[in-house]
Amino acid sequence: MRLTLRALISHGRVARKMGLGPESRINMLRNLLTGLVRHERIETTTARADEVRFYAEKLVDYAKRGDTDEKAMKMASFWLTEKDLVPKLFNVLAPRFETHSKGYTRMARLPNRDNLDRAKMAVLEYKGNPFPPLYPVKKDNELTLINQLLRGYREDRAQQLATKA
Amino acid sequence: MATRSACRALERRFASAAAAAAAAAAARPLVAEVRSQRNAVFSREQARQRALYPRIEKIEVSMQGPGLDGTLLVMNRGMSTPLSCARHLTEYHVNNSVLALVDGEPWPLHQPLTDSCSMTLLTFKDSDPTLANQAYWRSCAALLGQVLQTAFKDDYTVELLSTPEVPVTSGAFCCDVALDPQLDSWTPSEESLRSLTKGAQQLIHKDLPWEPLEVAPSVALEVFSHSRCKQEEVEEKAAQHPKGRVTLYRCGDHVLLSAGPLVARTGLCSQYEVTALHSLGQGPWGLHRRAQGLSLPLQLQAHHTVWRKLRQRAEKLVEVSRLEEAAPPSPPDSTPPPTSQ
């Protein structure tokens, strides 16, 4: 190829480089994906989590085809290094996301890693996992004075509407 | 000529009116006298109860609560109140505690502690503020009673009847009152309700503490010696109480009787409005009237849109069924009675 300046400037190049090369990148993503399928929630650097996300969703799309499908089984056995997770993928994760068309994963930022590198961390999870939610829902206390007064008001209005109708 | 005769007629009329008023006033003890007498008896009893502990004895109070579990405070018997325990903690506890729970029993913040115990300070924002809400509702009703007592001119008698226990969901706290027979035909206008509200706001601004005092029924009967209605109430309360004692509260210079614990001080209320005065018909003490109001504490203020809606609801008469005292009463009565119930 021509040894132009274009090869050195990376404007607009969206594909990430990870590890020692493309094969190393795929191996790293494979390990991350296996961990994700086993534990359903993992913590890594933001870039790796972002990369794995695409493959995680594609894997679930393949799993939805069913384990009788040749291609789906090949994909699953390639991407999952621990073979006891292949039945989990087809029997647990695929039925869970039957009604969803896309968006099987959720990513949230974490505080930077405590090491010297201060790397940007993220947590990646499959939706519907058994752990407590990443963004806890804060419910207003129903028993405070103002909420009790409002409850009485709402009941009163409902009663009035019922008698009017 | 005509004017002179008219003048003489007017003079005679005024003279007779003045004589009648003087006679009536002499027969009824002056309101200020009654108040000072009640105050004097209360202070005397309070001093006597304090003198029961001449030497300082120490008690151990263990605090429970978020962030406080197991804190041990060494306080004085008969002198330290839950408020003084709060003052040992932080300013947040002093400003925000409404009621104390001493060994599981609701305890007013200004009542002295008598034994080593475990104490929890309650606020309006706990996970279960039901006790605090009830105490607040009772205190607002007591404040309304105090305002009504002092609002009218000395010529008119005001009899405070027993305040009904209303749950918070009914929308307004009530204070039952029997006014002077001369006022039977008077219905309060917007202006008068607003002036009552202003009176209440003045009391709130003064931030007066509600001082509790547990007394024997005889002392309570002496305090309310000028009011037969109050004496009956004292006897009723003494019969209900397990130990036969009656709790009196004093706010400023007004002594009152209450069914349960009241909050610490008037300054805890912020949005307070007297919403209505309904007539309930003739009772044993005269025309039975129910004064209603709405209030919210300092920590739970409402936006003006929400306040307006709640206030509109508080103008409606709140029905209290006398048969069930502890259980929640029927929902508030709107003009067409609910048929589907």
Side-chain angles (χ1 to χ4, degrees):
Chain A
M1 56 174 281
R2 279 162 48 204
L3 296 164
T4 55
L5 209 55
R6 249 219 219 151
L8 300 166
I9 300 173
S10 90
H11 285 179
R13 311 271 175 98
V14 289
R16 277 195 194 91
K17 289 188 204 176
M18 269 160 52
L20 309 165
E23 202 179 321
S24 162
R25 173 180 161 275
I26 291 289
N27 288 337
M28 202 187 291
L29 291 175
R30 204 165 30 167
N31 290 335
L32 282 167
L33 192 50
T34 308
L36 180 63
V37 171
R38 180 179 286 285
H39 299 114
E40 294 190 36
R41 189 187 274 182
I42 55 170
E43 257 182 50
T44 53
T45 59
T46 312
R48 287 178 199 172
D50 197 46
E51 285 285 298
V52 165
R53 222 176 161 186
F54 169 81
Y55 292 96
E57 309 220 336
K58 273 280 184 287
L59 188 66
V60 171
D61 285 329
Y62 270 108
K64 275 188 185 177
R65 290 198 205 175
D67 58 357
T68 44
D69 194 271
E70 190 58 52
K71 179 80 188 208
M73 188 48 86
K74 272 196 184 157
M75 278 288 170
S77 65
F78 173 77
W79 279 97
L80 299 171
T81 53
E82 288 153 28
K83 300 307 167 191
D84 52 324
L85 294 175
V86 174
K88 179 182 174 183
L89 177 71
F90 285 105
N91 301 334
V92 174
L93 292 182
R96 191 195 287 179
F97 298 120
E98 239 171 332
T99 48
H100 296 53
S101 63
K102 54 179 183 171
Y104 316 117
T105 56
R106 193 183 283 128
M107 195 166 99
R109 259 200 81 173
L110 288 175
N112 289 359
R113 210 194 263 160
D114 292 325
N115 294 356
L116 186 64
D117 63 2
R118 281 309 204 195
K120 199 170 165 184
M121 297 295 276
V123 58
L124 183 67
E125 64 167 14
Y126 272 123
K127 288 184 187 170
N129 62 68
F131 305 117
L134 283 177
Y135 297 104
V137 185
K138 202 160 178 201
K139 208 97 210 256
D140 219 13
N141 190 4
E142 213 3 80
L143 296 169
T144 54
L145 189 67
I146 191 167
N147 283 342
Q148 290 280 291
L149 284 170
L150 285 170
R151 187 182 125 202
Y153 176 80
R154 254 179 266 129
E155 281 170 6
D156 202 30
R157 289 278 289 196
Q159 218 176 40
Q160 274 184 357
L161 286 171
T163 51
K164 226 181 273 180
Chain B
M1 270 70 71
T3 48
R4 222 183 298 145
S5 55
C7 283
R8 238 177 280 135
L10 281 166
E11 267 174 30
R12 238 177 277 135
R13 209 175 297 151
F14 279 142
S16 57
R28 237 182 295 129
L30 283 176
V31 178
E33 272 179 18
V34 170
R35 215 177 296 159
S36 59
Q37 180 255 343
R38 286 187 185 170
N39 230 336
V41 177
F42 191 95
S43 315
R44 192 187 73 207
E45 179 63 22
Q46 207 178 37
R48 185 197 73 89
Q49 285 197 2
R50 280 205 197 124
L52 290 171
Y53 304 97
R55 259 173 281 109
I56 294 181
E57 293 165 28
K58 293 292 183 184
I59 50 170
E60 287 183 350
V61 177
S62 89
M63 298 294 305
Q64 312 290 327
L68 294 172
D69 275 311
T71 311
L72 200 67
L73 296 169
V74 179
M75 314 297 292
N76 301 334
R77 188 193 292 269
M79 272 193 339
S80 313
T81 62
L83 185 70
S84 39
C85 296
R87 284 163 89 177
H88 276 287
L89 300 168
T90 61
E91 196 183 339
Y92 168 82
H93 288 104
V94 172
N95 292 340
N96 292 55
S97 21
V98 169
L99 209 59
L101 214 62
V102 168
D103 285 339
E105 202 191 305
W107 198 275
L109 271 195
H110 289 280
Q111 189 164 357
L113 297 162
T114 45
D115 272 311
S116 298
C117 52
S118 84
M119 189 168 84
T120 323
L121 289 169
L122 302 175
T123 67
F124 286 117
K125 294 194 179 173
D126 295 338
S127 42
D128 187 15
T130 355
L131 280 172
N133 291 348
Q134 275 168 17
Y136 182 73
W137 226 230
R138 243 176 268 133
S139 327
C140 290
L143 194 72
L144 185 55
Q146 185 172 353
V147 167
L148 285 168
Q149 189 106 73
T150 49
F152 292 93
K153 280 189 185 165
D154 284 350
D155 306 328
Y156 306 104
T157 44
V158 177
E159 270 292 347
L160 285 180
L161 310 169
S162 65
T163 348
E165 278 284 320
V166 187
V168 177
T169 40
S170 57
F173 50 83
C174 345
C175 181
D176 287 350
V177 66
L179 297 174
D180 197 279
Q182 295 168 35
L183 293 171
D184 268 357
S185 51
W186 171 73
T187 47
S189 60
E190 282 263 339
E191 289 289 321
S192 29
L193 287 178
R194 237 176 261 150
S195 65
L196 288 171
T197 307
K198 209 169 161 194
Q201 291 281 355
Q202 279 174 354
L203 281 174
I204 290 171
H205 188 70
K206 280 190 210 161
D207 202 11
L208 304 162
W210 264 293
E211 301 160 24
L213 195 66
E214 209 180 289
V215 298
S218 52
V219 180
L221 289 170
E222 196 196 325
V223 165
F224 295 115
S225 50
H226 291 286
S227 162
R228 185 62 221 150
C229 160
K230 280 287 191 195
Q231 285 183 334
E232 279 180 16
E233 210 187 313
V234 162
E235 275 148 30
E236 240 182 73
K237 295 237 158 62
Q240 281 173 357
H241 199 269
K243 280 192 236 162
R245 309 225 346 139
V246 167
T247 324
L248 295 174
Y249 289 87
R250 178 169 68 174
C251 180
D253 57 355
H254 174 81
V255 178
L256 59 122
L257 202 60
S258 176
L262 299 184
V263 292
R265 42 181 223 282
T266 54
L268 281 173
C269 332
S270 77
Q271 292 169 302
Y272 193 108
E273 267 192 55
V274 180
T275 45
L277 188 74
H278 294 282
S279 307
L280 291 178
Q282 282 289 335
W285 308 102
L287 182 62
H288 199 139
R289 294 214 196 212
R290 181 163 287 164
Q292 283 176 204
L294 182 63
S295 170
L296 280 173
L298 198 59
Q299 292 97 19
L300 291 174
Q301 289 184 359
H303 192 256
H304 66 88
T305 46
V306 174
W307 176 257
R308 213 168 290 156
K309 294 196 173 132
L310 291 174
R311 194 197 180 289
Q312 218 176 25
R313 186 182 173 224
E315 282 166 17
K316 289 194 271 202
L317 180 64
V318 169
E319 288 281 318
V320 175
S321 53
R322 287 275 163 200
L323 298 163
E324 350 152 67
E325 284 180 307
S330 50
D333 207 65
S334 44
T335 25
T339 47
S340 56
Q341 193 66 22

